[in-house]
């Protein structure tokens, strides 16, 4: 039930994960339920992305799950725990630790023939590698499970979520027309099948930033916010709210955009449910302040974004924050800092394959 609700209503998915763990732990001990107990602990770790779960509880679930998996030689359970804990490391702001865990999980799945598990968690693997600035490595990892068929086959139930995120990756790799076509096709499918696509609508705003065509940005941002509020939570509301702030600024409504983004900062601050997006959010604030003509505050936000991205190894968001800094007028940015930024971006783009 939790898996079914994951793309429909995040709140229901969270509730079902919690119920599953509670009832499985009340059930009599026995090997026939051990795999489900491991999966339930992996699920608890994953929902910590979307609802407050004490860090100690997450650590306990991971330790217990790993112990159960080792005792029962459940390699699929081990891999699922690694993927889930990798998600949590990304959530805490440790992107390199996340991709190491995800890569270990994929290698284990490939060795044991557990290809369905890699396919099930494509989005998590792509997201961690995207954040860490290892785009091509992430795509290659998930490709290994089905020879890349998920990228080539028609968009459907098994691949629409990962194809939606892959569209954003394509944009960062310089393939904007393909990214736009693919994201629209994913949104068309999500609309027909009544899937929660708040973050996909937010991505339309990101692609508008890439292209400079802002005509549809505000409409998609408003849809993102509406759907995040209806079926999401703080995590998705932060993504949607950032998109709305950008879209408002694209329409010249800078004061409203600045106020909206400022109000969302606590969600992305350390300890917030969307902390992994702190650098991205600071860069968005820098963009809006620059467009409003507040160059000093724009510089400060861009520098905060750079520092946050470097601290969390979020290299894609570091590129974004540097770009926001470099878009300032010459009189607002020292020449030495601009030269440093250009050199750093060149390194990051080369590493990312962007």
């Amino acid at each position: 039930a939790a898996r079914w609700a994951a793309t429909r209503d995040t709140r229901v998915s969270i509730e079902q994960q919690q119920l599953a763990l509670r009832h499985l732990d009340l059930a009599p001990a026995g090997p026939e339920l051990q795999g489900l107990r491991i999966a339930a602990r992996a699920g608890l770790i994953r929902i910590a992305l979307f609802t407050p779960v004490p860090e100690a509880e997450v650590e306990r679930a991971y330790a217990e799950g790993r112990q159960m998996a080792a005792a029962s030689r459940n390699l699929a359970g081990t891999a699922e725990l690694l993927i889930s804990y990798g998600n949590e490391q990304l959530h805490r702001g440790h992107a390199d630790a996340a991709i190491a865990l995800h890569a270990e999980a994929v290698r284990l799945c490939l060795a044991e023939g557990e290809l369905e598990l890699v396919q099930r968690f494509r989005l998590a693997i792509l997201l961690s590698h995207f954040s860490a600035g290892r785009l091509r490595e992430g795509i290659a990892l998930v490709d290994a499970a089905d020879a890349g068929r998920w990228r080539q086959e028609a968009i459907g139930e098994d691949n629409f979520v990962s194809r939606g995120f892959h569209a954003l990756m394509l944009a960062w790799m310089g393939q904007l027309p393909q990214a736009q076509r693919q994201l629209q096709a994913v949104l068309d499918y999500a609309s027909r099948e009544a899937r929660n696509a708040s973050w996909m609508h937010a991505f339309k705003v990101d692609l508008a930033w890439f292209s400079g065509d802002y005509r549809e940005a505000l409409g998609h941002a408003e849809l993102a916010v509406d759907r995040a509020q209806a079926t999401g939570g703080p995590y998705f509301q932060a993504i949607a709210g950032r998109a709305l702030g950008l879209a408002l600024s694209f329409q010249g409504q800078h004061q409203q955009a600045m106020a909206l983004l400022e109000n969302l900062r606590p969600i992305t601050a350390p300890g917030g449910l969307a902390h992994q997006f702190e650098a991205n959010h600071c860069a968005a604030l820098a963009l809006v302040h620059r467009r409003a003509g507040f160059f000093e505050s724009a510089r400060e936000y861009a520098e905060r974004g750079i520092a946050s991205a470097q601290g969390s190894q979020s290299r894609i968001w570091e590129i974004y924050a540097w770009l926001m800094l470099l878009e300032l007028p010459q009189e607002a940015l020292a020449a030495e800092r601009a030269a440093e930024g250009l050199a750093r971006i060149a390194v990051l783009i080369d590493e990312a394959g962007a």
Side-chain angles (χ1 to χ4, degrees), residues 198 225 228-230 232-242 264 267:
S198 65
V225 170
Q229 290 175 342
Y235 180 92
F236 292 106
Q237 288 167 19
I239 296 171
R242 178 195 58 83
L264 288 170
I267 303 177

Side-chain angles (χ1 to χ4, degrees), residues 80-93:
E80 183 171 352
L81 285 161
L82 288 169
I83 292 169
S84 300
Y85 197 58
N87 295 355
E88 176 63 11
Q89 290 304 307
L90 185 63
H91 184 218
R92 295 178 188 177

Side-chain angles (χ1 to χ4, degrees), residues 13-313:
S13 184
I14 290 169
E15 179 184 282
Q16 293 301 312
Q17 287 281 13
Q18 292 168 327
L19 283 171
L21 180 59
R22 190 177 311 134
H23 286 285
L24 283 164
D25 282 350
L26 289 172
E32 65 277 2
L33 292 180
Q34 199 73 324
L36 290 174
R37 289 191 175 99
I38 295 167
R41 280 161 173 78
L44 174 70
I45 296 167
R46 291 196 299 278
I47 68 171
L49 294 173
F50 310 116
T51 193
V53 177
E55 189 170 309
E57 188 174 343
V58 171
E59 293 296 328
R60 182 171 61 252
Y62 182 62
E64 290 174 353
R66 290 297 301 268
Q67 185 178 23
M68 291 176 184
S72 59
R73 298 183 180 179
N74 188 329
L75 296 176
T78 298
E80 183 171 352
L81 285 161
L82 288 169
I83 292 169
S84 300
Y85 197 58
N87 295 355
E88 176 63 11
Q89 290 304 307
L90 185 63
H91 184 218
R92 295 178 188 177
H94 310 306
D96 283 348
I99 63 172
L101 288 161
H102 285 169
E104 182 182 351
V106 172
R107 285 192 293 271
L108 184 59
C109 288
L110 294 176
E112 298 299 321
E114 297 287 348
L115 304 183
E116 185 276 334
L117 201 62
V118 179
Q119 295 163 6
R120 179 180 158 200
F121 291 109
R122 277 193 215 108
L123 178 60
I125 297 163
L126 292 174
L127 176 57
S128 66
H129 283 78
F130 173 81
S131 297
R134 300 291 185 262
L135 283 67
R136 298 188 189 279
E137 291 175 26
I139 293 169
L141 270 181
V142 296
D143 275 0
D146 69 350
R149 287 191 298 274
W150 68 279
R151 292 189 288 118
Q152 301 156 10
E153 294 174 349
I155 290 168
E157 186 65 24
D158 292 337
N159 68 355
F160 83 97
V161 172
S162 47
R163 289 285 291 275
F165 194 82
H166 180 245
L168 182 65
M169 300 178 82
L170 287 172
W172 276 94
M173 291 189 292
Q175 301 174 51
L176 184 56
Q178 183 180 347
Q180 291 169 323
R181 290 192 299 271
Q182 182 165 303
L183 184 56
Q184 188 56 56
V186 170
L187 281 168
D188 291 343
Y189 176 86
S191 178
R192 287 195 307 272
E193 301 298 324
R195 296 296 191 268
N196 182 2
S198 65
W199 55 271
M200 298 181 194
H201 286 287
F203 285 178
K204 289 286 281 189
V205 179
D206 291 316
L207 298 195
W209 171 68
F210 275 105
S211 69
D213 182 352
Y214 305 138
R215 290 173 296 178
E216 298 181 355
L218 186 57
H220 281 286
E222 289 170 341
L223 280 171
V225 170
D226 288 346
R227 294 181 182 180
Q229 290 175 342
T231 59
Y235 180 92
F236 292 106
Q237 288 167 19
I239 296 171
R242 178 195 58 83
L244 181 57
L246 290 177
L248 288 169
S249 184
F250 294 159
Q251 300 300 320
Q253 301 177 48
H254 306 307
Q255 293 295 333
Q256 188 176 348
M258 288 188 290
L260 173 64
L261 292 174
E262 192 63 38
N263 287 338
L264 288 170
R265 280 184 63 199
I267 303 177
T268 62
L273 279 175
H275 176 52
Q276 70 196 74
F277 301 121
E278 181 183 42
N280 186 13
H281 197 77
C282 287
L285 274 160
L287 182 152
V288 171
H289 278 248
R290 176 185 57 78
R291 290 176 65 91
F294 299 113
F295 300 136
E296 181 57 28
S297 57
R299 185 189 62 77
E300 291 173 1
Y301 278 122
E303 292 286 9
R304 287 185 201 177
I306 292 166
S308 176
Q310 291 177 342
S312 61
Q313 307 98 42

